[in-house]
Amino acid sequence: MHTNQPSSPSIPILDLSQASSLSSRQSLLAQLREALYQIGFLYITNHGVNQSTIEDLVDKIPVIFDLPADLKKDLSKENSPHFLGYSGFAEEMTSGKKDLREQWDFGSDVPNIWNRAGSGNGSSSEQEPYTELYWKLRGPNQWPPDEQVPGFRQAYMKYHEEVQQLSYRFVHLIEEAFGIPIGTFDRFWKGQMRPQHRIKLIRYPPKSSLNNFGEEEGQGVGAHKDSSGWLTFLYQVGQEEGLEALGPNGEWLEVPPIPGSFVVNFGNAFEAATEGAVKATVHRVKVMLPICRRFRKADANLGSESLIELESYIPKSIRNLRKQRTIEANVESNGKVSTFLDPRWDTLGESQLLEYYLK
């Protein structure tokens, strides 16, 4: 367990090495269960991702952001129907305000499967026609040339694989913490179609440069929930603080870097599927130093499934957990768990596509 504790005791630190011991495993599961329900934000240490793998990718972050402007423009996300590639500084907005950051989005390297109007242009042999627009979100990366960033692609792929395996192990701990069969969630990302997980590499300007933008306090990214998937593993580079999570009492909790740790938070899909038993927490970033961020994105197999179908795989005891605690606390509930699934959009794929276009 790290001795460098976060400034707020409300953000728990879970030592995953406790899972290897029968005497400490139940304590870990109890901590995880409480964190899922109460906070929706936590640190994990001793997570099994090699530090050398992390550092190999982190070392290349300055290089990829310092590529020539013309090359980055050629690799812009505007050129990708899959929203993969480069986004320039302050090109995106949250809540009507510019986000002071630039970023690269990469995903599992998978082919395009969208089939325009059933014309047979899709590359999948599955029976699903893949004609819905949200299938356009799935597709190949825009890679920078190897000669410009030597070793980047290899470093990315190794990091991707190790964090992917961490995510599967962690989801199994979530299942165990809730007392449901291990493997319940596997069908969402271990089906016949290879899932496309996503990685975001983000560079924020340091707080000392805020005067250059004419602001006293910059918005790295505004308050939001993660819309594009199940859960996020976030690796914070450096020691400058900036990440904040909205606490259960409406207060902003600082989530400062802890060396060697990942911050884990949960996306709208997890919250919607469990009817709030797993909490997708609002969070924001004040201007800070670079971050290497990994999204555990919703499996493409989820695209055509409705919320009712999705919930059918989640035990009712879990889906009723927040309702039961609300009743026990004698607090009136409005029955609204997540803004992610608008009643106009029947499937996760449609909701996710809408979120991307609104962004």
Side-chain angles (χ1 to χ4, degrees), residues 55-68 71 143-157:
E55 291 174 357
D56 192 23
L57 180 59
V58 167
D59 286 346
K60 294 171 176 58
I61 289 178
V63 181
I64 196 171
F65 279 105
D66 290 339
L67 289 171
L71 176 57
W143 293 106
D146 289 340
E147 61 271 18
Q148 295 278 0
V149 193
F152 171 77
R153 188 167 180 172
Q154 293 84 348
Y156 165 88
M157 296 302 294

Side-chain angles (χ1 to χ4, degrees), residues 238-251:
Q239 290 300 310
E240 187 164 350
E241 300 178 6
L243 177 62
E244 296 182 333
L246 191 63
N249 299 317
E251 74 282 27

Side-chain angles (χ1 to χ4, degrees), residues 182-196:
I182 294 177
T184 296
F185 292 104
D186 283 3
R187 72 169 312 281
F188 298 143
W189 39 77
K190 289 189 176 182
Q192 292 183 350
M193 182 187 296
R194 180 187 174 194
Q196 186 173 37

Side-chain angles (χ1 to χ4, degrees), residues 55-334:
E55 291 174 357
D56 192 23
L57 180 59
V58 167
D59 286 346
K60 294 171 176 58
I61 289 178
V63 181
I64 196 171
F65 279 105
D66 290 339
L67 289 171
D70 288 347
L71 176 57
K72 290 191 289 187
K73 184 177 180 180
D74 290 341
L75 299 174
S76 169
K77 283 200 294 187
E78 294 181 357
N79 303 325
S80 168
H82 323 299
F83 293 89
L84 295 170
Y86 175 73
S87 294
F89 183 77
E91 286 185 356
E92 295 187 351
M93 302 179 69
T94 302
S95 300
K97 188 175 180 181
K98 289 184 176 181
D99 296 327
L100 302 183
R101 64 177 184 174
E102 56 180 323
Q103 62 190 37
W104 287 88
D105 285 86
F106 298 96
S108 309
D109 226 2
V110 298
N112 175 35
I113 64 169
W114 179 61
N115 184 358
R116 182 190 297 271
S119 62
N121 293 331
S123 58
S124 172
S125 61
E126 301 292 327
Q127 292 182 353
E128 165 69 51
Y130 305 120
T131 57
E132 295 88 349
L133 280 176
Y134 53 75
W135 289 113
K136 292 182 73 173
L137 295 175
R138 182 182 172 90
N141 289 300
Q142 297 190 92
W143 293 106
D146 289 340
E147 61 271 18
Q148 295 278 0
V149 193
F152 171 77
R153 188 167 180 172
Q154 293 84 348
Y156 165 88
M157 296 302 294
K158 187 176 182 181
Y159 177 84
H160 177 284
E161 176 60 26
E162 290 194 27
V163 181
Q164 176 178 260
Q165 294 306 314
L166 166 63
S167 72
Y168 295 151
R169 297 193 302 270
F170 191 76
V171 168
H172 287 168
L173 286 175
I174 292 174
E175 293 166 337
E176 191 173 355
F178 277 141
I180 60 179
I182 294 177
T184 296
F185 292 104
D186 283 3
R187 72 169 312 281
F188 298 143
W189 39 77
K190 289 189 176 182
Q192 292 183 350
M193 182 187 296
R194 180 187 174 194
Q196 186 173 37
H197 311 307
R198 296 204 172 203
I199 290 177
K200 232 181 236 298
L201 304 177
I202 307 174
R203 183 164 72 174
Y204 300 95
K207 292 179 181 177
S208 59
S209 67
L210 279 178
N211 289 337
N212 296 334
F213 309 116
E215 300 189 33
E216 295 181 0
E217 181 176 279
Q219 171 178 291
V221 62
H224 67 287
K225 294 182 180 182
D226 282 350
S227 62
S228 57
W230 289 85
L231 64 158
T232 296
F233 294 89
L234 171 70
Y235 188 82
Q236 301 187 80
V237 178
Q239 290 300 310
E240 187 164 350
E241 300 178 6
L243 177 62
E244 296 182 333
L246 191 63
N249 299 317
E251 74 282 27
W252 285 106
L253 307 175
E254 294 183 356
V255 191
I258 295 180
S261 73
F262 282 101
V263 175
V264 183
N265 66 281
F266 303 90
N268 280 314
F270 230 139
E271 183 177 80
T274 60
E275 296 190 28
V278 175
K279 186 175 182 180
T281 300
V282 174
H283 53 287
R284 66 185 183 186
V285 177
K286 295 181 180 179
V287 169
M288 57 188 298
L289 291 177
I291 277 181
C292 175
R293 185 178 192 179
R294 185 192 191 282
F295 275 85
R296 177 68 167 79
K297 182 182 176 292
D299 185 336
N301 288 339
L302 277 171
S304 59
E305 289 188 322
S306 68
L307 179 58
I308 293 176
E309 291 174 298
L310 187 61
E311 289 176 343
S312 70
Y313 299 102
I314 313 300
K316 190 174 181 180
S317 60
I318 302 304
R319 291 186 283 114
N320 285 339
L321 181 60
R322 186 163 294 276
K323 295 177 184 177
Q324 290 170 352
R325 291 205 183 183
T326 299
I327 293 172
E328 290 170 3
N330 196 29
V331 176
E332 183 179 355
S333 173
N334 62 10

